[in-house]
Amino acid sequence: MSEPEKNIPDESAGREIPNGGNPAKTREDFDLASIYVSDAQYNRNIYFDTSPQAVRLYLLYNHWLPPILVYFFILVDLFLAIFEEPAIFPLPSWATMLVELLCMLVFTIRLVHYAKVIPRDKFWKDPKNICIICILALTLVDMIIYGALKAANCYAVRWSRVLRPLLLVNVTEGRQLRRAFRSIRNALPQIFYVFLLFIFCVLIFSLMALKLLGKRGLKTVDGAPYFTNYLKVVFDLYVLVTTANSPDVMMPAYNASSAFAIFFIIYILVNTYIFMSVFLAVVLNNYKKYLKEEMRQLVRAKRHKMVRAFAVLQEQREGGAEPVVTQDNWNQLVRLVQPDISNAHRELLWSVSDDKNQGFIGKGAFVQLADLLNIEVITLKSRPHPFNRLCPSVYQSAPSRLLCRLVQHRAFVIVYDLIILVNAVFIGLDEENPMIANSEWVFLALYMLEILLKLYVFEPKAFFSKHSFWNWFDTVIVVAALIATIINSAMKSAGGYTSRQILDIVFILRVLRLIRVVDSIKRFRTIINTLIRIGPAILTFGQLILVVYYIFAMVGMELFKGKVTFYGEDSDDPARAYCGNPLLKGTTFALLGYCKNNFNNVVSSFIVLVELTVVNQWHVLSSGFITVTHASAVIFFILFHIVVVIIIINIFVAFILEAFLMEYSVDKSDLQTSVEKKIDELELSVAQEKLEDNLANAMETIDSDLGTSQSTDNKPALMFKIASKRYRTVDALLQRMFEADLDPEDFAENDEAETSGNFANPAFSSA
């Protein structure tokens, strides 16, 4: 089926192609076309120069190593906060600044490289380039000022640290993160009006509470006046929206009269349930609206890139027919775009494009190439079991076949799921009971037996292929638990001593075995598969949270460092009772032992921010820092709550809702269906029962293996299957989410690209 590899002709190759007298394509032609296709595949939207030198620089720019180095040095730059004052591991300021200078040098080289790739006027019009230049310049100025102030023994602040995470947003590869920030920016106008109405409602209710309860002489549980200060009433009722201080804030009024409960119930209904739901609805509506428009522009940009690639490789046909791309040129292009693709996989994609077997394709079929390359096609290899080669008479005997059928039967899986559940019951029982302790050996023996039986039935290389997630998971967990249990038993029997650390490892490994039950329950499997598929997009929001957390952590450390001190459980210092700050004596913050929740280093700052995101007791946390600083410090905590909890978390929820609905309701795309039909036509499809959606399938990517050799004797050496609803890129997932809503004209064949240079980038591309 496959053909020998062909070398790409060099620039000097000048032979004529008989079909229409087209000149042979040069290496530069293939490089330029491969860039267009690769950019379309990964939705890179860079207005690059098409001169041969710029094309070579652009190929180097998109090589896998430079982006990895950039992200590595960005992480180094971010992690410098661990060693800077206030530090976990203090280093001299000159040492951290030298490392930061090295990071800045790498960022500058990357930026200069980018400037060599695109036209100069486009470079200076791109806001993300200006932002990176400003970050580097401001950081350098800050380092000079900080060094001078430190040399003069003056107080100095590294204010430029809040700019570090913005590099994650503005590097070329941060387009997903920029899209997330655009989602926030686009949703802000509508959120702003809802938020104004919400604040107005809180202020009105606060005024009513002040007039109703302020003059009644009520006291809080710690003896403070109740609802006598308007600003404090506003803050308490704002906190009540998050339910963090419920029912504490209501109890003094409720104790005075049950009728006052009506006021708080109405307040919670209006602000917690109605307004918070409206926030989510507004965010979801605007998120879908603007993201759909971005996808429309991305699809249009992708099509124009593919049209440009077609224009580079097209050949005129005799008789004035429509231009085409030949199979040879198409194959050489695919080898450049995706070098690791197998000949069989490449020919499968060609047979889908050239469905009439003409040896060439037109523009309409060629434009589909980027989407074809984004479809996960898993190649499955059939190979005989070693036992079948060494002793076929035994392996093919009736008892052996019966054993193989039993192991492959659904009942075998059910039996071991029941064994795992019984093991879970024993794990929860008293470990000191000898019968319970000895039962672990029985369960370990049963798990080892399961692995050995599967190795007998399934070909070992297939069983331990790099994408057989559950097989590796089971084996590693069982073998590690066996080794840890043996070591623990040996140490205990030798000297009556049991290592607490080894025992902890044993307990954790036992509990981890229970996770495998998830794969056996279809509904659980569907949820986990969906999470795996949308995982890259979730990571984008993780980066967004990281950027916001880092900025707030840097600000928080400058505002609150050294204000709260944790003394440790073994300390007998009297200051431990009030966290080292007399202002906290008798406060709820100190009485609840929140001293470790401080901004004295970057790690503890991140933990405090996570606790604030959860919102439980966040008013107690904020009150502690307000007590030791100033009442205006409340702005820091309210701003964090608005940005993270109300805006970012709601946008994250909106994305998860849309992605889950899409995963549950949308079938495979038409292009995926075409690939599957072609696989079926070539009689290279895997049996339907092997297409079952388990977690192993969800984690496979390309080369895998078929299972038992007894079921593969009469099958082809190579077979294929589509990884159901899988996406190579986040953009492919987003395009699939809105594919039904995109206008047909976005895919129309009569969209002509510009005749020279590059097409214009979409309006949002520079954001």
Side-chain angles (χ1 to χ4, degrees), residues 679-707:
I679 292 172
D680 290 334
E681 287 176 14
L682 299 173
E683 297 182 350
L684 295 175
S685 60
V686 183
Q688 186 62 34
E689 60 267 17
K690 290 186 177 292
L691 294 175
E692 200 170 317
D693 269 341
N694 53 34
L695 292 188
N697 283 342
M699 292 189 171
E700 283 178 331
T701 55
I702 179 163
D703 290 326
S704 189
D705 301 88
L706 294 177

Side-chain angles (χ1 to χ4, degrees), residues 207-242:
L207 189 59
M208 287 192 290
L210 181 68
K211 296 302 180 183
L212 279 173
L213 304 169
K215 303 296 185 181
R216 295 180 181 271
L218 302 178
K219 301 288 184 181
T220 62
V221 68
D222 55 1
Y226 180 69
F227 277 19
T228 57
N229 183 289
Y230 182 65
L231 292 179
K232 192 173 186 312
V233 174
V234 172
F235 179 70
D236 286 341
L237 290 185
Y238 181 85
V239 172
L240 182 58
V241 174
T242 69

Side-chain angles (χ1 to χ4, degrees), residues 216-317:
R216 295 180 181 271
L218 302 178
K219 301 288 184 181
T220 62
V221 68
D222 55 1
Y226 180 69
F227 277 19
T228 57
N229 183 289
Y230 182 65
L231 292 179
K232 192 173 186 312
V233 174
V234 172
F235 179 70
D236 286 341
L237 290 185
Y238 181 85
V239 172
L240 182 58
V241 174
T242 69
T243 72
N245 59 353
S246 177
D248 297 359
V249 71
M250 181 184 76
M251 291 313 297
Y254 184 50
N255 290 334
S257 174
S258 299
F260 289 127
I262 299 174
F263 170 84
F264 290 96
I265 292 171
I266 294 174
Y267 177 84
I268 291 172
L269 285 174
V270 171
N271 292 283
T272 302
Y273 293 107
I274 295 178
F275 269 109
M276 291 299 108
S277 299
V278 169
F279 271 122
L280 178 58
V282 169
V283 168
L284 180 59
N285 180 62
N286 283 272
Y287 172 80
K288 289 181 63 177
K289 174 184 174 183
Y290 289 102
L291 190 58
K292 187 190 301 182
E293 180 58 31
E294 285 207 14
M295 287 303 102
R296 184 177 288 111
Q297 295 191 53
L298 278 177
V299 168
R300 189 177 294 116
K302 177 191 290 188
R303 174 164 185 80
H304 282 203
K305 290 166 191 168
M306 293 304 300
V307 169
R308 294 303 301 152
F310 180 84
V312 173
L313 297 182
Q314 70 181 7
E315 297 176 4
Q316 298 297 328
R317 298 168 61 193

Side-chain angles (χ1 to χ4, degrees), residues 280 284 287-288 534 650-664 737:
L280 178 58
L284 180 59
Y287 172 80
K288 289 181 63 177
I534 66 176
N650 274 323
I651 286 180
F652 177 69
V653 171
F655 172 80
I656 295 296
L657 285 173
E658 190 67 24
F660 259 81
L661 288 173
M662 186 272 295
E663 285 291 329
Y664 275 106
M737 286 169 63

Side-chain angles (χ1 to χ4, degrees), residues 548-591:
V548 176
Y549 271 27
Y550 197 93
I551 292 172
F552 274 94
M554 295 301 106
V555 175
M557 285 194 294
E558 295 300 336
L559 292 175
F560 307 118
K561 63 181 179 183
K563 302 294 185 181
V564 177
T565 306
F566 176 68
Y567 286 89
E569 294 296 328
D570 300 328
S571 174
D572 55 0
D573 193 318
R576 177 189 169 197
Y578 46 86
C579 305
N581 194 318
L583 294 174
L584 290 173
K585 279 186 179 180
T587 61
T588 307
F589 185 94
L591 294 174

